[in-house]
Amino acid sequence: MLLSGLANTVYRILIIDDDIQNIFILEDILSPLGNIYFSESGSNALALVDKIKPDVILLDIEMPDMDGWQVCRALKSNPLYSDIPIIFITGHTEPEFEKLALESGGVDFITKPFNASICCLRVHTQLKFRQQNHLIVKAKEELQQLVNQVPMLITYWDAAGNNLFSNDYSGMWFDQLVGQVDGKHISSIFPAELSHAVLSHQKVATTKPVKYIVTVANDIGTSFYEVFQSKMKSSSGMDGYLVTVVDVSEVKHAKQALHSEKERLRVTLNSIGDAVIATDTKGLITFMNPIAERMTGWRIKEALHQKIETVMQLRDSNTRHTLLNPLYIALREQRIVAMALNSQLLARGGQVFAVEDSAAPIRNENGEVIGAIMVFHDVSETMAMAMKMSHLANHDQLTDLPNRILLQDRLSVACSSAKSFGTKAAALLVDIDHFKYLNDSLGHQLGDELICLMAQRINSLIPPSYTLARLGGDEFVVLMSDTQSVEASSILATKLVDAMHEPFVLAGQKFSVSISIGISVYPDDASDAEELMRHADVAMYRAKQEGRNRFSFFSYDLENSIRERHQLELSLRNALLNDELLVFYQPKFDLTTKRIIGAEALVRLTGDDGIFISPTEFIPLAEETGLIIKLGQQVLSKACIEAKRWFDMGYVIPVSVNVAVAQFADPNLEHMIATALQESQLPAELLELEITETALMLDAEEMQTKLSQLKALGVTIAIDDFGTGYSSLAYLKKFNVDVMKIDMSFVKDMLNNKHDYEIVKTIISLGRSMELTLIAEGVETEAQRQALIELDCVMGQGYLFSRPLPANEFSDFILLTEHWV
């Protein structure tokens, strides 16, 4: 047997005979061959066969109820018993009986009287045949089971390619194998690629199997089949060939995926910017990528099986001592280990790299450590960039001086040091006087150059232990640390102020510059670094208030004034935001007839307590903070609306509005005036713009252009406070102005001071010669009115006629004046 092998078998022999004597004789003869069973009736024997399942039956031919031929035919007609060999028992020796016995299905016959040896031999022979048949059947079953279970398709084909056998009964391999495939041609069963390959190999096939791979495309992708093909010769002498097919798609796809993954890993490791070195558990190198080769100076062929510390020499960047490679720690402790931050890699050629990163163990599928990998990269440029970024973050871009951030840190250190050692620290806040106007006239490029020259000059005047920082714009700070006295800061400030008297050379021209310095001392003036800087700012503002080109120390009175200034700025901003500014109107008179010929709009601001704040306080603040543009817009709008109301009442009274220097720098000035005239519907000839001499002298050419644009609107232009500025005839004749106002400072003392009288006389004469309308400001006495009339100035304004009035009172005043004139 194929799998079971031979086994000791006890045969079951059934004797069917109506003669009991024959049964006993046969039992005696055959008992050595197995277990004997008997039946005296043919019909009973059929029932007994199902129970004992005999290996051989001895059947008597002549029996009363059912003869032997009938029993034999009944057994052979039943598939369950048709294979049981039947030996007939007969007393006849004629050939006809023998022929009939064989035709009925019998295999042999025994004649009476019985010859014991021949009888035993005949029965034994049939039993052996029976046993062999059982073994063959069993072997076929086991072989079929084996064929069915193997994970491959087993087929057998004749020489013409027609199927003789297949172990696929369910269509698991190919749909065409389902059902009866015997005799079908291979091309109708196998896919085209597979059948073509099998047929093409048929010519070269031998008894030794040929192995090859066939690729088959299908709906779900590509399948790969490994084919074993050999030539066979059947027992009938017909040639054929055995073809076994193994689906290796998973293996093939897995190999392809593995190859792709290995290739992807190889390309990744060779392409990444990090260096990679792999070792075994002893630290012997098994892999290096190109970056590692470049950084270490070792080629992979040279580095293989070398100790990692030989190829990758690490040392401390500070002490230059050799460092233990973290890969060994990763192997020993079986964990990821980061490299020290101050590590250096000494390359084979002597080049030094600042490196960082980590090492990690490599494990197999069982979690066992089989090596380690070292990943590192060059951080030299990163560290240099970090230092550069740190420098940029802490230094001014224009001058490369410490900026506000670094200064704050050094101020804190200086204060802490002064507190610990009982010394002082001083902050000198340096600001360039009138730098905004200088920057606008020079241009920002030369302005930046001036800032750099200023920084160089200040730096040359202070010791290295001091810090010079730039806060931005035109502000510098000198930090004096560990000083012993306040006098030292005074001496330095004097030196700085005096040093600025030497002109700076820009674009081949010399420019004189002055500075204002505010000084605050720790711990005298401040309790911490923040307060020290704030008080230095307060002191600097005081120096500017006192006339600039000087230095000033901080005082609490000064701090209070700064607080008041802040409150004033807040009040001004709120008034502008809520449209709460008041506009008063001071009438202008014909000095001869005392009739109202115009009015000057004057802005007024009330504090939180309802008390008026002097314009000399909030107007300079508005100019300094940039609020003057919005303030001027609101005053202009209110004045135009009021003048239109007078016009609607039947009074043609021009209104004059002051235009500040900053407003002329505003490119929207012309549009703002045009809008105010349009919205109020005031005729343009009833609006007069008053401009100071100082504004005219800033940029004569540009001012001339702007004045022409404003005149084109139809408004009148007046020069305010004439005589207090440059009063240059060369400039004056260039400007297209209509009115000249004589400053009140000359009118006030013209009768008491001969020089003032002559100045007023000259201004009037100059105005007449230029055909300008003249108006005297500050007319307070009748004597002044008469003197002005005598000098041919017939227009004026002042307290002799009226103080500035609110809008409603001015309307009443118009009516009253018309009444008593």
Side-chain angles (χ1 to χ4, degrees), residues 567-585:
Q567 185 59 44
L568 175 59
E569 181 181 346
L570 186 62
S571 297
L572 179 59
R573 289 184 182 276
N574 289 334
L576 290 171
L577 181 64
N578 301 318
D579 196 21
E580 294 175 350
L581 286 175
L582 300 176
V583 179
F584 281 31
Y585 301 90

Side-chain angles (χ1 to χ4, degrees), residues 628-629 632-633 658-667 669 672 706:
I628 191 66
I629 294 177
Q633 181 181 6
N658 290 281
V659 180
V661 176
Q663 287 180 274
F664 270 96
D666 182 10
L669 175 63
M672 181 185 72
K706 285 209 170 191

Side-chain angles (χ1 to χ4, degrees), residues 270 577 594:
N270 289 342
L577 181 64
K594 295 184 180 180

Side-chain angles (χ1 to χ4, degrees), residues 153 168 171-178 189-191 194 225 245:
L153 175 62
D168 186 5
M172 179 180 69
W173 286 83
F174 305 113
D175 294 340
Q176 292 81 352
L177 283 172
V178 179
I189 299 176
F190 280 3
L194 184 57
Y225 298 104
V245 180

